[in-house]
């Protein structure tokens, strides 16, 4: 079994609606996303011979997904009033709504699922919220490869 790893990062703000503590306030992070893909067979075509996947494609696909969150305020659907949401957008702020609470755990699952939809056999996705705190998602099977 081969395991490839790539990473990409983004800067964004978020808050945790309904949380009792400092994280209920808007604050920012330099989020770091580490993606691991796996496979048993290497390509045999001339262009990709000896590769599990082309790193150029893997990096490009992860970057496209992650960059959608760069320099934005990430909010859970319904966590801002419609008036505030509209006002922020009118003032030119980038607001990205997600259907989950924007935690490292939920982002790890989200990025895992998005890369799976791109056709990758994802082994795990790790999302660092800070340099020393991260969450990993291993898929439904929970295979810790």
């Amino acid at each position: 079994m081969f395991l490839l790893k790539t990473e990409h990062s983004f800067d964004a703000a978020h808050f945790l609606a309904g949380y009792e503590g400092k994280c209920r306030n808007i604050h920012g992070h330099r989020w770091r996303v580490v993606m691991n893909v796996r496979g048993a067979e290497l390509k045999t075509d001339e262009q990709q011979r000896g590769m599990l996947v082309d790193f150029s494609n893997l990096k490009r696909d992860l970057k496209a997904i992650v960059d959608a969150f760069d320099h934005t305020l990430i909010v859970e659907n319904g966590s801002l009033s419609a008036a505030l949401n509209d006002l922020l957008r009118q003032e030119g702020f980038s607001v990205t709504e997600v259907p989950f609470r924007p935690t490292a755990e939920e982002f790890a699952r989200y990025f895992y699922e998005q890369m799976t939809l791109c056709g990758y056999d994802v082994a795990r996705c790790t999302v660092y919220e800070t340099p020393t705190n991260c969450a990993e998602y291993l898929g439904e099977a929970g295979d810790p490869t």
Side-chain angles (χ1 to χ4, degrees), residues 113-128:
E113 290 172 349
Q114 292 301 303
M115 288 296 283
T116 298
L117 290 173
C118 288
Y120 294 99
D121 183 2
V122 180
R124 77 175 60 207
C125 177
T126 308
V127 173
Y128 287 84

Side-chain angles (χ1 to χ4, degrees), residues 39-118:
E41 301 294 323
L42 300 180
K43 306 274 193 227
T44 58
D45 64 278
E46 189 56 33
Q47 174 69 14
Q48 296 184 47
R49 187 167 43 90
M51 299 177 182
L52 179 64
V53 299
D54 187 326
F55 269 115
S56 296
N57 296 336
L58 181 61
K59 292 187 311 185
R60 177 199 65 218
D61 293 341
L62 180 61
K63 182 181 186 317
I65 295 165
V66 169
D67 275 355
F69 296 99
D70 193 36
H71 284 78
T72 188
L73 170 60
I74 304 165
V75 299
E76 182 178 7
N77 288 340
S79 63
L80 291 180
S81 70
L84 179 55
N85 199 339
D86 290 342
L87 182 60
L88 287 169
R89 291 171 194 274
Q90 287 172 12
E91 291 295 323
F93 289 101
S94 176
V95 179
T96 302
E97 293 183 88
V98 293
F100 52 82
R101 194 181 212 190
T103 62
E105 295 89 340
E106 291 283 12
F107 271 121
R109 177 171 41 196
Y110 174 81
F111 293 128
Y112 180 106
E113 290 172 349
Q114 292 301 303
M115 288 296 283
T116 298
L117 290 173
C118 288

Side-chain angles (χ1 to χ4, degrees), residues 14-27 31 74 76 79 101-104 129:
H14 75 143
F15 66 94
L16 302 180
Y19 182 78
E20 293 299 322
K22 292 191 306 185
C23 292
R24 72 181 180 176
N25 293 306
I26 295 173
H27 61 285
W31 302 82
I74 304 165
E76 182 178 7
S79 63
R101 194 181 212 190
T103 62
E129 195 174 86

